[in-house]
Coordinates of all heavy atoms in Angstrom, one line a residue:
D1 N 0.8 -1.2 0.0 CA 0.0 0.0 0.0 C 0.9 1.3 0.0 O 0.6 2.2 -0.7 CB -0.9 0.0 1.2 CG -2.1 -1.0 1.1 OD1 -2.3 -1.5 0.0 OD2 -2.7 -1.2 2.2
A2 N 1.9 1.3 0.8 CA 2.8 2.5 0.9 C 3.5 2.7 -0.4 O 3.6 3.8 -0.9 CB 3.8 2.3 2.0
H3 N 3.9 1.6 -1.0 CA 4.6 1.7 -2.3 C 3.7 2.2 -3.4 O 4.0 3.1 -4.2 CB 5.2 0.3 -2.7 CG 6.0 0.4 -4.0 ND1 7.2 0.9 -4.0 CD2 5.7 0.0 -5.2 CE1 7.7 0.9 -5.3 NE2 6.7 0.3 -6.0
E4 N 2.4 1.7 -3.4 CA 1.4 2.2 -4.3 C 1.2 3.7 -4.2 O 0.9 4.4 -5.1 CB 0.1 1.5 -4.2 CG 0.2 0.1 -4.7 CD -1.1 -0.7 -4.5 OE1 -1.9 -0.3 -3.6 OE2 -1.3 -1.7 -5.2
Q5 N 1.3 4.2 -2.9 CA 1.1 5.6 -2.6 C 2.3 6.5 -3.0 O 2.2 7.7 -3.0 CB 0.7 5.8 -1.2 CG -0.6 5.2 -0.8 CD -1.8 5.9 -1.5 OE1 -1.8 7.1 -1.6 NE2 -2.7 5.1 -2.0
G6 N 3.4 5.8 -3.2 CA 4.7 6.5 -3.5 C 5.3 7.2 -2.3 O 5.9 8.2 -2.4
V7 N 5.0 6.7 -1.1 CA 5.5 7.2 0.1 C 6.3 6.1 0.9 O 6.1 4.9 0.7 CB 4.4 7.8 1.0 CG1 3.7 9.0 0.3 CG2 3.4 6.8 1.5
S8 N 7.1 6.6 1.9 CA 7.8 5.6 2.7 C 6.7 4.9 3.6 O 5.6 5.4 3.8 CB 8.8 6.3 3.6 OG 8.1 7.1 4.6
F9 N 7.1 3.7 4.1 CA 6.2 3.0 4.9 C 5.9 3.8 6.2 O 4.8 3.9 6.6 CB 6.9 1.6 5.3 CG 6.0 0.8 6.2 CD1 4.8 0.3 5.7 CD2 6.4 0.5 7.5 CE1 4.0 -0.5 6.5 CE2 5.6 -0.3 8.3 CZ 4.4 -0.8 7.8
N10 N 6.9 4.4 6.8 CA 6.7 5.2 8.0 C 5.7 6.4 7.7 O 4.8 6.6 8.5 CB 8.0 5.8 8.5 CG 7.9 6.5 9.8 OD1 7.7 5.9 10.8 ND2 8.0 7.8 9.7
Q11 N 5.9 7.1 6.6 CA 5.0 8.2 6.2 C 3.6 7.7 6.0 O 2.6 8.3 6.5 CB 5.5 8.9 5.0 CG 4.7 10.1 4.7 CD 5.2 10.9 3.4 OE1 6.1 10.4 2.8 NE2 4.6 12.0 3.1
W12 N 3.5 6.5 5.4 CA 2.1 6.0 5.1 C 1.4 5.7 6.5 O 0.3 6.0 6.7 CB 2.3 4.7 4.3 CG 1.0 4.1 3.9 CD1 0.2 4.4 2.8 CD2 0.2 3.1 4.6 NE1 -0.9 3.6 2.7 CE2 -1.0 2.9 3.9 CE3 0.4 2.4 5.8 CZ2 -1.9 1.9 4.3 CZ3 -0.5 1.5 6.2 CH2 -1.7 1.3 5.5
V13 N 2.1 5.0 7.4 CA 1.6 4.7 8.7 C 1.2 6.0 9.5 O 0.1 6.0 10.0 CB 2.5 3.8 9.5 CG1 2.1 3.7 11.0 CG2 2.7 2.4 8.9
V14 N 2.0 7.0 9.5 CA 1.8 8.2 10.2 C 0.5 8.9 9.6 O -0.4 9.3 10.4 CB 3.0 9.2 10.1 CG1 2.6 10.6 10.6 CG2 4.1 8.6 11.0
Q15 N 0.4 8.9 8.3 CA -0.8 9.5 7.7 C -2.1 8.7 8.0 O -3.1 9.3 8.3 CB -0.6 9.6 6.2 CG 0.4 10.6 5.7 CD 0.7 10.6 4.3 OE1 0.2 9.7 3.5 NE2 1.4 11.5 3.8
K16 N -2.0 7.4 8.1 CA -3.1 6.6 8.4 C -3.5 6.8 9.9 O -4.7 6.9 10.2 CB -2.8 5.1 8.2 CG -2.9 4.6 6.8 CD -4.3 4.7 6.3 CE -4.5 4.0 5.0 NZ -5.9 4.1 4.5
L17 N -2.5 6.8 10.8 CA -2.8 7.0 12.2 C -3.4 8.4 12.4 O -4.2 8.6 13.3 CB -1.5 6.9 13.0 CG -1.0 5.4 13.1 CD1 0.3 5.4 13.8 CD2 -2.0 4.5 13.9
A18 N -3.0 9.4 11.6 CA -3.5 10.8 11.8 C -4.9 10.9 11.2 O -5.5 12.0 11.3 CB -2.5 11.8 11.2
G19 N -5.4 9.9 10.5 CA -6.7 9.9 9.9 C -6.7 10.7 8.6 O -7.8 11.1 8.1
R20 N -5.6 10.8 7.9 CA -5.5 11.5 6.6 C -5.8 10.5 5.5 O -5.4 9.4 5.5 CB -4.2 12.1 6.4 CG -3.9 13.2 7.4 CD -2.7 14.0 7.1 NE -2.4 15.0 8.1 CZ -1.4 15.1 8.8 NH1 -0.4 14.2 8.7 NH2 -1.2 16.0 9.7
H21 N -6.6 11.0 4.5 CA -6.9 10.2 3.4 C -5.7 10.1 2.4 O -5.2 11.1 2.1 CB -8.1 10.8 2.7 CG -8.5 10.0 1.4 ND1 -9.0 8.8 1.4 CD2 -8.3 10.4 0.1 CE1 -9.2 8.4 0.1 NE2 -8.8 9.4 -0.6
L22 N -5.4 8.9 2.1 CA -4.4 8.7 1.1 C -5.1 8.3 -0.2 O -6.2 7.6 -0.2 CB -3.4 7.5 1.5 CG -2.6 7.9 2.7 CD1 -1.9 6.6 3.2 CD2 -1.5 8.9 2.3
A23 N -4.6 8.7 -1.3 CA -5.2 8.3 -2.6 C -5.2 6.8 -2.8 O -4.2 6.1 -2.5 CB -4.5 9.0 -3.8
S24 N -6.3 6.3 -3.3 CA -6.4 4.8 -3.6 C -6.1 4.7 -5.1 O -6.2 5.7 -5.8 CB -7.7 4.2 -3.2 OG -8.7 4.7 -4.1
L25 N -5.9 3.5 -5.6 CA -5.7 3.3 -7.0 C -7.0 3.8 -7.8 O -6.9 4.3 -8.9 CB -5.4 1.9 -7.3 CG -4.1 1.4 -6.9 CD1 -3.9 -0.1 -7.2 CD2 -3.0 2.1 -7.6

């Protein structure tokens, strides 16, 4: 999922924990 978003795993987890929407495919 993080790779699909083009972000680091850490950044992906932080965004998810903060409740921020990440773009889906």
Side-chain angles (χ1 to χ4, degrees):
D1 287 348
H3 184 75
E4 286 176 343
Q5 295 296 316
V7 297
S8 71
F9 181 66
N10 186 71
Q11 185 179 5
W12 185 89
V13 169
V14 167
Q15 290 175 353
K16 283 292 193 179
L17 290 172
R20 295 190 180 117
H21 174 71
L22 295 167
S24 69
L25 288 179

